[in-house]
């Protein structure tokens, strides 16, 4: 057996085994109160260099393209939420509240981490990571509680938009960080191109995809069309040196507003999203260096405390602004603490854009996600009471 064939056999065997392990983690999560995201990351840690070191070689080879595909799918699905009818249904109060809570969280974490480290580009990225939430965990807790009232309606509306604002703020943060780190005269133009070039690419690709959607039937043809569009968007964005995440969000927004059957491509993508997410979480855990977590010290603690503070302050600020009860604002902030894959994805893209920040950014994001996935759902449950 040649070396190339042997490497290929090891890669496929490892990926297949990880998916079976991920299925077991999902089953265990359903039978216990431990979030499945935390279980998947934990299994990745056990299989990675910090544990038995079974998958480190494969993780280095396949994690980059799996993470790109996974995050592109997530971006496209989040863009699909920006249908004008949905935004009108949420109302101006929900739209402004979700945006303000996201901005306050970003600002709070950025200021705390920036004052602690003096490294403002890194602080901007930490602030962007902190804005991500876990809509699925929040929805699960609400369904489990059986409550359906004005507070749960507001919470669901805000959490459904949180990650969209978070990804948009992350794109802006990356451009600002790049501008602050660059000394060349063209830094501002590069940052503007990353933002507006991504917007333009999303529109240019979204219009023909929306036109094709009306002419494709449900099932395999539509799945091929939607997946092909997402992969094409990633490839062109990388070629043009623009944000593929922002391009996918914009493309999803264009498709959901311009397509005749606007839900079809998003339903098709949802059918294949979870297997990629499963591998993404396991390989993210396998990339985590436990020793680096211990070395974070004050920075890691500051990030976690600042994110909690930012959520609470954001909820209270919105309650005052919208004339809601103050206790409802505090409950709203604590209910938005769960985090999942988008936070890790943001950290991963940030670490790829700024390799010098890879260790603190990715390590803090993964460790923070595990902590917030463990403490977040119980706090959401308490807020509902």
């Amino acid at each position: 057996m040649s070396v190339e064939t042997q490497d290929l056999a090891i890669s496929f065997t490892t990926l297949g085994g990880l998916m079976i392990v991920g299925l077991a983690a999902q089953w265990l999560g359903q039978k216990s109160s431990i979030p499945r995201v935390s279980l998947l990351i934990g299994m990745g840690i056990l299989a990675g260099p910090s544990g038995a070191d079974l998958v480190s070689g494969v993780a280095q080879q396949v994690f980059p393209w799996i993470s790109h595909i996974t995050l592109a799918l997530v971006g496209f699905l989040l863009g699909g939420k920006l249908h004008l009818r949905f935004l009108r249904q949420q109302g101006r109060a929900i739209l402004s509240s979700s945006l303000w809570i996201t901005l306050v969280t970003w600002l709070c974490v950025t200021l705390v981490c920036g004052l602690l480290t003096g490294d403002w580009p890194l602080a901007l990225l930490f602030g962007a990571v902190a804005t991500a939430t876990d809509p699925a965990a929040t929805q699960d807790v609400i369904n489990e509680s059986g409550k359906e009232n004005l507070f749960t309606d507001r919470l669901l509306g805000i959490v459904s938009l949180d990650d969209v604002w978070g990804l948009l703020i992350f794109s802006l943060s990356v451009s600002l960080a790049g501008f602050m780190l660059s000394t060349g005269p063209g830094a501002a133009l590069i940052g503007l191109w990353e933002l507006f070039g991504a917007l333009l690419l999303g529109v240019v690709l979204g219009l023909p995809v929306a036109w094709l959607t009306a002419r494709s039937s449900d099932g395999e043809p539509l799945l091929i069309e939607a997946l092909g569009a997402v992969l094409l968007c990633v490839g062109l964005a990388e070629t043009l040196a623009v944000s593929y995440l922002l391009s996918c969000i914009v493309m999803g927004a264009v498709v959901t507003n311009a397509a005749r059957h606007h839900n079809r491509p998003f339903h098709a993508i949802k059918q294949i999203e979870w297997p990629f997410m499963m591998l993404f979480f396991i390989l993210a855990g396998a990339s985590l260096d436990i020793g680096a977590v211990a070395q974070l010290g004050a920075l890691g603690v500051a990030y976690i405390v600042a994110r909690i503070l930012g959520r609470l302050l954001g909820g209270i600020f919105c309650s005052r602004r919208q004339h809601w009860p103050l206790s409802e604002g505090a409950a709203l902030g604590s209910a938005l603490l769960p985090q999942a894959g988008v936070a890790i994805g943001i950290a991963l893209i940030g670490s790829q854009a700024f390799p010098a920040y890879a260790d603190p950014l990715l390590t803090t994001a993964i460790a923070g996600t595990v902590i917030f996935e463990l403490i977040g759902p119980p706090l959401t449950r308490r807020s509902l009471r």
Side-chain angles (χ1 to χ4, degrees), residues 197-239:
L199 294 173
L200 180 61
L201 178 61
V203 173
V204 169
L205 288 179
L207 289 174
V209 173
W211 180 81
L212 285 172
T213 298
R215 288 151 182 81
S216 298
S217 56
D218 278 330
E220 189 176 273
L222 191 61
L223 175 60
I224 294 171
E225 174 205 321
L227 183 58
V230 171
L231 297 179
L232 181 63
C233 186
V234 174
L236 291 177
E238 290 294 303
T239 302

Side-chain angles (χ1 to χ4, degrees), residues 86 90 94 98 152-162:
F86 169 76
Q90 294 302 322
I94 298 299
S98 62
T152 58
D153 290 343
R154 287 171 179 167
L155 177 58
L156 286 174
I158 290 172
V159 80
S160 67
L161 293 168
D162 247 16

Side-chain angles (χ1 to χ4, degrees), residues 49-200:
S50 299
D53 197 15
L54 300 174
V55 299
S56 56
V58 175
Q60 292 176 358
Q61 293 175 7
V62 303
F63 191 32
W65 63 264
I66 284 181
S67 63
H68 278 63
I69 294 175
T70 304
L71 295 173
L73 296 176
V74 170
F76 181 69
L77 290 173
L78 288 175
K81 292 182 178 181
L82 298 178
H83 193 281
L84 293 177
R85 184 170 65 247
F86 169 76
L87 297 178
R88 282 194 293 267
Q89 287 173 350
Q90 294 302 322
R92 186 177 300 176
I94 298 299
L95 286 173
S96 63
S97 296
S98 62
L99 180 57
W100 277 112
I101 290 174
T102 303
L103 285 172
V104 171
T105 303
W106 174 67
L107 185 62
C108 188
V109 174
T110 299
L111 286 175
V112 170
C113 293
L115 291 173
L116 180 66
T117 64
D119 192 337
W120 291 101
L122 177 61
L124 284 169
L125 298 175
F126 272 127
V129 171
T131 61
T133 55
D134 184 3
T138 306
Q139 179 76 66
D140 287 345
V141 172
I142 291 175
N143 291 340
E144 180 188 353
S145 71
K147 294 183 180 293
E148 189 174 343
N149 50 39
L150 187 59
F151 178 77
T152 58
D153 290 343
R154 287 171 179 167
L155 177 58
L156 286 174
I158 290 172
V159 80
S160 67
L161 293 168
D162 247 16
D163 282 343
V164 179
W165 301 136
L167 289 176
L168 294 175
I169 288 175
F170 168 69
S171 298
L172 178 61
S173 298
V174 168
S175 297
L176 288 174
F179 175 72
M180 294 170 70
L181 290 170
S182 178
T183 57
L189 292 176
I190 293 174
L192 289 173
W193 168 246
E194 288 179 354
L195 285 175
F196 291 101
L199 294 173
L200 180 61

Side-chain angles (χ1 to χ4, degrees), residues 18 21-23 25-26 35-45 274 277-279 281-283 285-286:
L18 289 178
V21 168
L23 191 63
Q26 184 170 342
R36 61 182 180 180
V37 171
S38 300
L39 287 170
L40 292 170
I41 293 174
M43 288 181 174
I45 293 172
W274 180 242
M277 292 290 288
M278 188 184 294
L279 288 174
F281 288 130
I282 295 175
L283 293 175

